[in-house]
Amino acid sequence: MSKIIRPVLFSSYFNISTDILFDNGLIDPFINCDTPLFIDPFLLEKSQNSLIKNQAVNRLKNQFQNIIKFLIQSKKENDAAWKAALRLLNLHEAQVTSLGYGHSGRFGSSRSGNIKITILRVCREIIEVGFEDPELICMMNFFEDGIGVDTISDLTTNIIFDDLAEITKDFCQKYNIPLEKRELFGLNNRFVNCNVNAASQNKCYDLPVLKNGYPIVLVPKDIVKVLQSDIDGVISQNYYIRDAINRYWGNVTKLTIANKKAAIKRSTFEDVHNFETLLKSLKNFARAYNPSEDEYCFYKIKEIFQYDPIVFKNNKTYQINNISDVMSVVKDTIHFFKDHIENKNLWEALWNGDQPKMERASQILYYAMADSFCRANNIDISPEADMGRGPVDFKFSQGFDAKVLVEMKLSTGNVVHGYKKQLEHYKKAAQTEAAFYVIMDYGNNNFDKKLQEIYKIKNDLITQDQRASDIIVIDACKKKSASKI
């Protein structure tokens, strides 16, 4: 999985305020890494952007209608109609939007042709049952393991790319951001300079371009959602799916995503009307990522990257010569984060009302604070973060030998296992013994008992002359306002 190092915002690169993008209904993307948000085709009709709500929606439906039309005409796989449908399924990773799984390169790669074939086969099965609504293609990630929201997102992005490019062009012209002509070329969706004199059949787009020659396309913020699947919400809304799960597998809480998808597929195929119910449910359930709730702190970290560097400056001078120096820097970043959580109201970013946000929120927030701290204090190391499908983990390194890991967990989770097993696994993989285990304390009743057990594990390791990871607890509980203290 690619690592994210020192991200740069579109707004910073082109010297405009991130608030301008927000007020225009657009995401302020990182230009050198991706944010794990994905375009949901069911959100297009709900968008406040008129171009998306009308033109993009029609473009998407027309493309899907053509795919279904060819599948209906097809008599067998690999005949002319089948191949025509296959050509219309562009699942190439749409890197120009800077959304997705945190790739460090700005060119995506095409997905396996097997995924395209699987999509067409499932579509054909559904058509044979008697359901021919073109939007059935948007439902594929609820039927097949290996087809996720990222697959459907890239398919959607590639279809509505012209509309996203037009939105980007209009915004940049409005705020005097320079544009250059770029031509989308070849199967790998690579961009090249437009040769207006050549007889090219590819379109030219006016887009903002980075110094490396790669363009960026802006995306409305009300058509994206997080990776988290809507499967559980769909199951809770549909009695026939819940009934199928009870009949086939039993307790839904113990099922894998693959099991849940299999149950949805099996129950839906029992009756053509179930497809209509499922499609309606998916449309109703679709919700864009909410900036005001900011469940994963994506908007908060962009705000942090806009802060004056003086906020992160201290009075130390750092010299990084060995592992002890790296440990000292990492410890300072954690205590800097701890101070802002416990004493300077940053805890507010970790709560939605009376509910703590996801674990990833605190992890991403720490990443932004640590990165900004290193930049402001002229420290030539920076946290690497894996923002992909799995947990977020952090590594600070200077050369091959000086590596320090940071593992962050919520007190509400299995923190004992995290310290005893998970962190040790990460250390072994990174070939280092230096690590910090940070626990975000949200005030749950049995945390003291868990903490005692963790410290016992640490003390036992020290007694056995083994290296034990440092433990830092951060009080992330809701605080009273100054007027109520």
Side-chain angles (χ1 to χ4, degrees):
M1 184 60 63
S2 300
K3 299 289 183 179
I4 297 176
I5 306 175
R6 298 212 161 168
V8 178
L9 287 168
F10 178 93
S11 56
S12 298
Y13 189 89
F14 289 104
N15 197 30
I16 61 172
S17 169
T18 191
D19 292 339
I20 291 177
L21 285 125
F22 186 88
D23 292 343
N24 279 268
L26 301 173
I27 294 172
D28 186 5
F30 293 114
I31 63 170
N32 57 341
C33 60
D34 292 341
T35 301
L37 293 171
F38 303 86
I39 294 178
D40 184 349
F42 292 123
L43 289 172
L44 301 188
E45 290 183 340
K46 301 179 181 181
S47 178
Q48 296 299 306
N49 187 296
S50 59
L51 196 62
I52 293 294
K53 190 173 183 177
N54 299 306
Q55 194 164 300
V57 167
N58 290 333
R59 193 187 303 273
L60 191 73
K61 288 183 176 180
N62 289 338
Q63 184 85 335
F64 288 164
Q65 283 172 350
N66 287 332
I67 293 172
I68 300 303
K69 179 186 70 176
F70 285 126
L71 284 178
I72 293 172
Q73 293 174 354
S74 174
K75 304 302 180 184
K76 61 180 181 178
E77 289 190 17
N78 291 322
D79 64 12
W82 176 275
K83 290 179 179 178
L86 201 63
R87 283 193 296 271
L88 294 178
L89 278 178
N90 183 356
L91 302 185
H92 189 277
E93 294 175 8
Q95 290 292 292
V96 289
T97 61
S98 293
L99 303 178
Y101 282 123
H103 300 278
S104 58
R106 306 314 301 153
F107 293 118
S109 59
S110 187
R111 286 184 174 82
S112 166
N114 291 334
I115 295 180
K116 294 183 180 182
I117 292 171
T118 298
I119 290 175
L120 292 189
R121 284 174 177 169
V122 176
C123 286
R124 170 174 272 176
E125 287 181 63
I126 297 173
I127 291 169
E128 289 174 351
V129 172
F131 187 72
E132 298 181 2
D133 191 310
E135 289 182 297
L136 66 87
I137 296 173
C138 303
M139 302 159 64
M140 289 300 104
N141 56 306
F142 290 90
F143 296 140
E144 290 294 322
D145 194 33
I147 300 176
V149 294
D150 57 322
T151 306
I152 303 303
S153 174
D154 286 332
L155 173 62
T156 305
T157 303
N158 291 324
I159 293 173
I160 68 168
F161 182 85
D162 284 8
D163 305 299
L164 297 177
E166 187 173 343
I167 290 169
T168 303
K169 176 184 175 182
D170 291 345
F171 174 83
C172 291
Q173 288 179 332
K174 183 177 180 180
Y175 293 99
N176 299 316
I177 295 173
L179 298 169
E180 297 181 23
K181 291 188 178 298
R182 286 295 184 272
E183 179 181 342
L184 189 61
F185 179 79
L187 295 177
N188 288 328
N189 281 15
R190 292 184 179 272
F191 282 85
V192 297
N193 291 329
C194 287
N195 187 348
V196 294
N197 295 320
S200 173
Q201 296 182 4
N202 299 314
K203 275 192 175 182
C204 273
Y205 300 95
D206 293 306
L207 298 171
V209 177
L210 308 179
K211 290 180 181 178
N212 61 7
Y214 202 73
I216 294 290
V217 173
L218 300 173
V219 177
K221 63 178 185 284
D222 61 1
I223 65 171
V224 298
K225 66 177 184 180
V226 293
L227 167 63
Q228 185 178 0
S229 174
D230 296 334
I231 286 178
D232 290 333
V234 168
I235 290 173
S236 67
Q237 286 189 356
N238 292 274
Y239 73 88
Y240 67 91
I241 293 177
R242 293 197 304 273
D243 178 64
I245 288 176
N246 291 332
R247 282 186 280 127
Y248 304 144
W249 283 285
N251 190 348
V252 65
T253 61
K254 297 181 180 179
L255 298 183
T256 64
I257 293 295
N259 292 148
K260 293 175 182 178
K261 286 187 176 185
I264 291 174
K265 183 177 180 180
R266 185 168 180 176
S267 59
T268 306
F269 273 74
E270 289 178 349
D271 188 333
V272 66
H273 298 295
N274 290 347
F275 285 105
E276 298 171 359
T277 303
L278 178 59
L279 181 58
K280 183 178 179 180
S281 176
L282 292 176
K283 289 185 174 183
N284 291 336
F285 195 79
R287 295 289 184 274
Y289 185 77
N290 190 334
S292 61
E293 294 178 358
D294 201 14
E295 186 177 8
Y296 291 90
C297 287
F298 292 143
Y299 283 89
K300 185 63 179 179
I301 67 169
K302 291 173 182 180
E303 178 186 327
I304 288 172
F305 284 128
Q306 297 271 317
Y307 286 170
D308 188 324
I310 193 95
V311 173
F312 306 95
K313 194 80 175 67
N314 66 14
N315 297 320
K316 289 186 179 182
T317 299
Y318 293 92
Q319 297 292 330
I320 313 298
N321 298 311
N322 51 47
I323 187 68
S324 295
D325 294 334
V326 178
M327 286 285 289
S328 179
V329 168
V330 176
K331 188 173 184 179
D332 282 354
T333 66
I334 296 171
H335 281 283
F336 180 79
F337 180 61
K338 176 182 172 75
D339 179 54
H340 277 262
I341 293 291
E342 296 180 346
N343 304 314
K344 297 178 182 177
N345 293 334
L346 192 59
W347 63 268
E348 294 175 344
L350 297 176
W351 288 82
N352 271 332
D354 293 327
Q355 295 296 317
K357 292 182 181 179
M358 301 287 220
E359 183 175 81
R360 184 171 287 243
S362 57
Q363 294 168 334
I364 291 175
L365 200 59
Y366 165 69
Y367 173 79
M369 296 291 283
D371 183 84
S372 298
F373 180 90
C374 290
R375 295 194 206 203
N377 291 287
N378 198 29
I379 302 170
D380 63 352
I381 62 174
S382 180
E384 293 182 14
D386 181 345
M387 303 290 236
R389 294 168 173 83
V392 180
D393 60 87
F394 307 95
K395 180 178 73 175
F396 295 74
S397 59
Q398 180 76 347
F400 181 79
D401 296 323
K403 288 182 282 191
V404 178
L405 303 185
V406 177
E407 177 71 5
M408 184 172 290
K409 293 290 184 184
L410 303 191
S411 60
T412 52
N414 193 347
V415 290
V416 177
H417 174 77
Y419 185 79
K420 185 177 182 179
K421 299 291 185 181
Q422 196 171 10
L423 180 54
E424 292 305 310
H425 172 75
Y426 293 155
K427 286 161 62 176
K428 185 177 180 180
Q431 299 181 5
T432 183
E433 290 295 323
F436 289 90
Y437 192 62
V438 181
I439 306 173
M440 306 296 293
D441 180 12
Y442 282 90
N444 47 308
N445 294 332
N446 62 344
F447 175 57
D448 287 344
K449 184 178 179 181
K450 292 180 181 178
L451 191 58
Q452 288 176 9
E453 191 173 347
I454 292 170
Y455 273 112
K456 183 180 184 304
I457 295 169
K458 178 182 179 181
N459 292 333
D460 288 345
L461 289 171
I462 294 172
T463 302
Q464 298 167 18
D465 292 327
Q466 296 184 43
R467 179 73 179 264
S469 301
D470 289 8
I471 301 165
I472 297 177
V473 178
I474 297 177
D475 180 3
C477 295
K478 298 184 72 172
K479 314 293 191 295
K480 292 182 179 180
S481 65
S483 62
K484 295 180 180 179
I485 294 176

